Amino acid sequence: MTTASRDGVKGPTDGGRSGRSPDAARPVDSGLAREVLDGLTEAVVMVDRAGSVTLVNATARALLPEAAPGTDLHACAVPAVARAVASGADSFAAEHGGRRLHGVRRDLTDGRHAWYVRDVTEEHARVEALQVERSRTAFLAEAGSRLGRSLQREQTLRTATMMPVPYLADLAMVVHLPPAPTEGQPHWIRYDGSDPAPVTGLAPWSLTGSLPELAEALAGHPAGPSPWPDGEAADLAAVLPPGFGPPGTVLACPMPGAGRATGALVLVRRVGRADFARHDIELAREFAARAGAALGAAELYGGQVHLARVLQNSLLPPDLPAVPGTVLAGGYRAAGDGLRIGGDFYDVFRVPGGAIFALGDVAGKGVGAAVLTGRVRQSLRTLRLVEQRPLELMGLLNHALFDAPDAARRSQFTTLLLGTLHAAPDGGVTVRIAGGGHPSPLRIHADGGVTPVAVGGMPVGALAAARFAEVELRLAPGELLFAYTDGVVEARGGPDGQEMFGEERLHAALASAAGSTPAALVDRLLDLVDRWLGGQIQDDIAMLVVAAAPA
């Protein structure tokens, strides 16, 4: 026998008994329900249709004691809850009892509803800590990029003062000692955002006495944040910009460099801004350490650049002296690492009645070749005081180079043309040339003909018993003598970038320049070679042009 249920589905009868289990007919045990609710970590506040609290669990009693049973939530002592109820909102967020709370409303049957409230304090703390760490990482990454972008000392100082504002402080100042050989008085550079660029000034030593934390930082010892000294000393007031307002907290951090502190970073916050927190101090010290390392690297680089510039200026081809009856012009290009010095060279020394000239090509390229170039030139300047005949002078130079302590180890030698110039009584120039394994100079006749002046000889400094050759000629008015290094003819360029400039092109260029002045010839040849190379210098180039002075 079956009977129809309320929803129209027929089921078996049981003699008047319900088809449901006996447990389903039992009323809910309110004590058991409260016990289940009390086991939840989420606060539960049950509210009737009138807005009165009917039931709370243990977590709600701890987080929201103001929402006790019988409380009208419209007048709850927790403002965020009262506002949510009054506006019919489905959620609220509140700072209550030192905790962060987040509540969500869920509707129940018969017009009732429940508020489920979570304590999100730790969750917010983790999110904030993650945001702080992300912000710190981004700041340090940008600092590393900007500090490492330049090896210029002044640019590094500007970056070190501008980056912390306003992220870490309202004002940043670096107190530093200028690099030698300037005076040992400290300098400062500050930035507070009111000016487009940092401001600099001279810092008296009394400044460190006015701010003991600064003295500790300059000595390389980190100090904690401290209030700005009461009754600002004159030295301290001088480093603050006009209108900055009363300073509050100051933090001084050492800027360690290579073996010493390169300066100190001083961060100042205005009154009203929060003091430096622990993570602020850690970040400031990390930034100061990176800025100190960058400043130390910039100082080291600046010292090397200064030294390189001094040495480079001493090794560059000289300005040519005026020689009676003779017109001279020289040209030079250095290959390699951005230096303007190399292994090719020319030089002219005045002697009574004329001059000694030299043009050579030392073994190697770059700095190493430039060092030997300097040795050759200085040796010639000294030896020409005791010997002015080209062949004999070249022999003395060979002994000087070969006897150098490191000559055999480095296999340093040079090809060389060494000659004398004397004005001839009839208006020409008498040229006497000694050869040391160098390409023959070229004589350019007034009619455009080009002939080599065969000299020969062995490289200088390669063998103790090297043999050299000598030749003498008279350069008539209108003629040119062109001496050059092999970087000219071996310059690779052209359409495929691999073809050598070659002797044929050189001779054609010289022939077309017949009748030119030495300076015009040098300019023309350098321009032709530069265009042939397409701006890529593979080898050093030197050239020297001699002509008789016009009558």
Side-chain angles (χ1 to χ4, degrees):
M1 179 178 180
T2 61
T3 181
S5 63
R6 287 182 297 174
D7 56 5
V9 179
K10 295 182 179 181
T13 62
D14 54 1
R17 293 177 298 174
S18 171
R20 295 173 296 173
S21 66
D23 289 342
R26 295 179 183 178
V28 176
D29 186 338
S30 61
L32 179 61
R34 182 180 297 276
E35 186 176 346
V36 171
L37 291 176
D38 285 347
L40 299 177
T41 58
E42 193 173 44
V44 180
V45 178
M46 308 285 292
V47 184
D48 61 18
R49 66 178 60 188
S52 295
V53 177
T54 58
L55 177 68
V56 296
N57 67 349
T59 305
R61 289 193 295 273
L63 293 180
L64 291 170
E66 297 82 0
T71 301
D72 183 358
L73 285 188
H74 291 86
C76 181
V78 181
V81 176
R83 286 194 299 269
V85 172
S87 64
D90 293 331
S91 64
F92 72 85
E95 292 272 357
H96 181 62
R99 313 295 293 176
R100 288 175 177 264
L101 305 180
H102 182 262
V104 178
R105 170 179 165 162
R106 294 288 185 266
D107 291 333
L108 305 176
T109 58
D110 300 330
R112 295 172 295 173
H113 59 271
W115 285 97
Y116 297 90
V117 183
R118 290 191 304 116
D119 182 353
V120 295
T121 306
E122 283 73 20
E123 182 179 324
H124 274 258
R126 288 192 297 270
V127 171
E128 290 176 354
L130 180 60
Q131 291 174 341
V132 168
E133 186 59 29
R134 285 178 175 172
S135 177
R136 166 193 168 96
T137 301
F139 176 80
L140 289 177
E142 184 181 2
S145 173
R146 292 177 59 181
L147 288 170
R149 196 175 298 163
S150 172
L151 283 174
Q152 301 300 320
R153 188 175 189 274
E154 298 308 316
Q155 179 60 42
T156 303
L157 286 170
R158 287 194 292 269
T159 300
T161 52
M162 294 180 71
M163 277 207 67
V165 179
Y167 184 73
L168 280 173
D170 299 306
L171 179 144
M173 177 177 66
V174 174
V175 179
H176 60 98
L177 287 173
T182 55
E183 72 278 7
Q185 185 88 0
H187 288 58
W188 56 259
I189 176 171
R190 68 148 195 258
Y191 182 74
D192 71 331
S194 60
D195 296 307
V199 179
T200 61
L202 191 64
W205 284 110
S206 54
L207 176 65
T208 60
S210 304
L211 194 61
E213 294 83 0
L214 175 57
E216 292 184 29
L218 287 172
H221 307 302
S226 62
W228 187 266
D230 294 333
E232 298 173 7
D235 295 326
L236 286 178
V239 302
L240 295 177
F244 180 75
T249 311
V250 59
L251 175 65
C253 304
M255 297 171 62
R260 67 176 183 88
T262 58
L265 175 66
V266 180
L267 302 176
V268 182
R269 289 185 174 181
R270 290 187 175 94
V271 172
R273 182 169 177 175
D275 292 342
F276 291 95
R278 180 181 59 82
H279 62 269
D280 294 330
I281 299 172
E282 292 175 353
L283 181 57
R285 289 175 178 170
E286 176 67 21
F287 173 75
R290 296 191 181 196
L295 185 59
E299 290 179 346
L300 179 61
Y301 175 76
Q304 292 175 336
V305 168
H306 175 72
L307 176 61
R309 186 177 295 116
V310 171
L311 293 176
Q312 179 172 272
N313 290 337
S314 70
L315 295 173
L316 285 173
D319 293 332
L320 297 179
V323 180
T326 305
V327 179
L328 301 170
Y332 180 75
R333 291 285 190 274
D337 46 15
L339 296 174
R340 294 186 295 139
I341 55 178
D344 291 10
F345 68 95
Y346 63 84
D347 213 338
V348 178
F349 318 110
R350 284 287 303 271
V351 294
I356 296 175
F357 71 89
L359 182 135
D361 182 357
V362 306
K365 297 180 184 179
V367 175
V371 170
L372 181 56
T373 297
R375 181 183 297 174
V376 171
R377 290 176 58 194
Q378 293 303 319
S379 297
L380 284 173
R381 286 182 177 273
T382 303
L383 292 173
R384 52 104 181 182
L385 299 176
V386 297
E387 180 59 70
Q388 297 176 6
R389 295 171 297 175
L391 190 62
E392 287 75 7
L393 181 55
M394 187 171 286
L396 291 177
L397 177 63
N398 184 69
H399 287 300
L401 294 181
F402 196 81
D403 289 343
D406 59 350
R409 175 172 58 84
R410 296 189 179 181
S411 299
Q412 292 183 326
F413 61 90
T414 180
T415 63
L416 183 65
L417 291 177
L418 188 58
T420 56
L421 304 171
H422 292 92
D426 60 354
V429 177
T430 299
V431 185
R432 191 177 180 187
I433 308 173
H438 197 81
S440 297
L442 300 174
R443 186 174 188 170
I444 308 166
H445 302 279
D447 61 1
V450 178
T451 58
V453 179
V455 184
M458 301 173 66
V460 182
L463 297 172
R467 297 179 181 179
F468 308 110
E470 187 179 69
V471 68
E472 185 172 322
L473 62 102
R474 178 183 172 276
L475 203 60
E479 292 185 321
L480 299 168
L481 183 68
F482 177 74
Y484 62 99
T485 58
D486 59 10
V488 175
V489 294
E490 294 179 0
R492 292 186 179 273
D496 61 358
Q498 294 300 316
E499 185 180 355
M500 290 199 300
F501 189 75
E503 294 185 359
E504 185 177 344
R505 284 188 182 84
L506 175 61
H507 284 222
L510 294 176
S512 66
S516 300
T517 64
L521 176 59
V522 167
D523 290 342
R524 174 173 171 76
L525 257 296
L526 287 178
D527 181 63
L528 287 174
V529 173
D530 287 343
R531 285 192 280 120
W532 181 258
L533 289 168
Q536 300 297 319
I537 305 284
Q538 302 108 354
D539 198 2
D540 302 323
I541 293 173
M543 57 185 71
L544 183 67
V545 182
V546 180

